[in-house]
Amino acid sequence: MKSEELKRKLVDDKATYTDEEIKWLFDHIGDSDGSIRDDLICNSFGYGFFKEKFSLEQARFLIAQLENKDLLFYRINEGKEATLTRFFTCLLWDLIIRTNNDKHSRYYQVLNKNEEQQVFEDLIKYLANKHDFTGFSPKYGWVHAIAHCSDALADSILCDDFDQKMVDDLLASTKKMLNKVDKRFIDGEEYRLADVFVNGIKENKINSDSFVNWIESFHLNPYSDELLEYYRFNNLK
C-alpha cells in the first residue's frame, strides 16, 4: 500500500509527503528490487527536490540521516546488495548538491559550508576507494557504480566552494580508480565520468596544462597484449 500511494504522488502536482513517507523512501534507498529502487525511490527523491515537494525540515532530515549513517561508505568492503545503498546514496547527494547550489530553489544553501565541503571531500574519497564497477546487473538492474558518483561530482565541481585542492584531489582519485578498474566500461560510465571534466574545464577549474599533464601521467599501453591494460586504456580514452 505504501508504494502504491507513493507512485500516485509522482503524477500529482499537488502532492506533498508526510514525514513517515520520507523515512520510508530513505529506508529503501538501496532496495534490491530495481523497480522500487529506480522507478519509485529515485524518482520520488528527484520529484521531491526538483518540484520542491519536501519541506525544509524534511530535506534537513534526509541530510542528517545521510551524515549520521555515513551511507556513502556503508559497509564499504562489502559487495552485492550493500553496494546498492552506496551507489544510490550518490544520487541523493547529487540532488541535494544541485538544489543547494540553485539560487531559485527552496533548498538553496540547505547545506552549511562545512557540510557542503565535507560532501565534496567524501565523494572524491569514495571515487578513489571504489572496488565495484558494475554498470548493469542482470539480478539488480541498473547499478551505475561509476556514473552515479560521477553525476554528483559533475554538479559539485560547478559549486564556488569546490576549490583547487579539491580539483587536485579529484584528479588523483580518478587516476587511482582508472588504474584499478577491472573491466571495460560499457554502460555509459565513461561518458558520465567525462562530464566531471567537461564541467571543470568550462568553469576554469581544470586548466589545459594540468589536464594534459594528468593524461600523460598514465602509463597504459594501447597495444598491450594484456586485456586488462587494454580495457583501462580504453576507459581513459
Side-chain angles (χ1 to χ4, degrees):
M1 178 60 71
K2 176 72 70 177
S3 60
E4 292 304 316
E5 292 173 2
L6 289 168
K7 285 178 183 177
R8 284 195 291 271
K9 292 195 175 192
L10 290 172
V11 293
D12 181 0
D13 289 339
K14 297 181 180 179
T16 58
Y17 290 82
T18 66
D19 292 348
E20 181 187 5
E21 288 169 334
I22 296 294
K23 185 178 185 304
W24 189 91
L25 289 170
F26 183 83
D27 288 343
H28 289 79
I29 193 170
D31 198 292
S32 60
D33 184 339
S35 65
I36 293 177
R37 189 182 66 249
D38 281 339
D39 300 337
L40 182 57
I41 308 301
C42 289
N43 286 341
S44 295
F45 280 138
Y47 184 64
F49 275 98
F50 290 139
K51 296 295 185 179
E52 300 185 351
K53 298 296 182 180
F54 302 153
S55 69
L56 280 174
E57 291 75 16
Q58 289 171 336
R60 283 299 315 173
F61 168 81
L62 291 170
I63 292 166
Q65 291 296 299
L66 287 170
E67 292 174 338
N68 294 339
K69 296 180 183 296
D70 200 20
L71 282 197
L72 199 56
F73 299 97
Y74 173 75
R75 289 159 56 185
I76 189 64
N77 294 318
E78 296 182 32
K80 299 183 179 178
E81 292 187 18
T83 64
L84 297 173
T85 294
R86 299 195 296 271
F87 301 157
F88 284 82
T89 292
C90 289
L91 283 185
L92 181 52
W93 271 128
D94 185 28
L95 292 168
I96 294 168
I97 291 164
R98 287 181 65 177
T99 52
N100 179 74
N101 196 43
D102 181 358
K103 293 181 179 179
H104 302 292
S105 172
R106 166 189 285 186
Y107 313 109
Y108 178 57
Q109 295 185 340
V110 69
L111 295 171
N112 64 45
K113 294 298 183 183
N114 289 336
E115 289 173 326
E116 184 185 47
Q117 293 220 330
Q118 188 62 58
V119 176
F120 296 160
E121 291 170 4
D122 286 347
L123 286 167
I124 292 168
K125 178 181 176 183
Y126 175 62
L127 182 67
N129 287 282
K130 293 186 72 64
H131 53 80
D132 186 327
F133 306 99
T134 305
F136 180 84
S137 163
K139 181 176 182 179
Y140 299 117
W142 288 107
V143 177
H144 279 316
I146 298 299
H148 289 173
C149 185
S150 299
D151 293 343
L153 284 166
D155 284 313
S156 296
I157 204 169
L158 295 174
C159 300
D160 291 341
D161 290 328
F162 197 99
D163 59 29
Q164 189 56 53
K165 182 184 182 303
M166 291 178 184
V167 172
D168 294 341
D169 290 345
L170 170 65
L171 293 173
S173 290
T174 307
K175 180 178 178 179
K176 182 177 179 180
M177 183 274 292
L178 288 172
N179 273 328
K180 70 177 180 180
V181 67
D182 58 359
K183 62 181 64 179
R184 176 74 171 93
F185 293 143
I186 60 172
D187 296 310
E189 314 294 301
E190 69 274 43
Y191 295 108
R192 286 164 67 181
L193 181 61
D195 285 340
V196 184
F197 290 82
V198 170
N199 286 354
I201 291 169
K202 283 182 176 179
E203 291 294 304
N204 296 315
K205 299 214 176 152
I206 302 175
N207 64 48
S208 298
D209 289 342
S210 64
F211 182 64
V212 170
N213 289 337
W214 181 77
I215 291 289
E216 291 180 342
S217 71
F218 286 84
H219 300 288
L220 298 173
N221 179 6
Y223 307 107
S224 174
D225 292 330
E226 185 181 345
L227 190 58
L228 186 55
E229 182 162 2
Y230 178 73
Y231 285 160
R232 288 172 177 168
F233 171 81
N234 278 279
N235 289 337
L236 173 63
K237 185 177 180 181

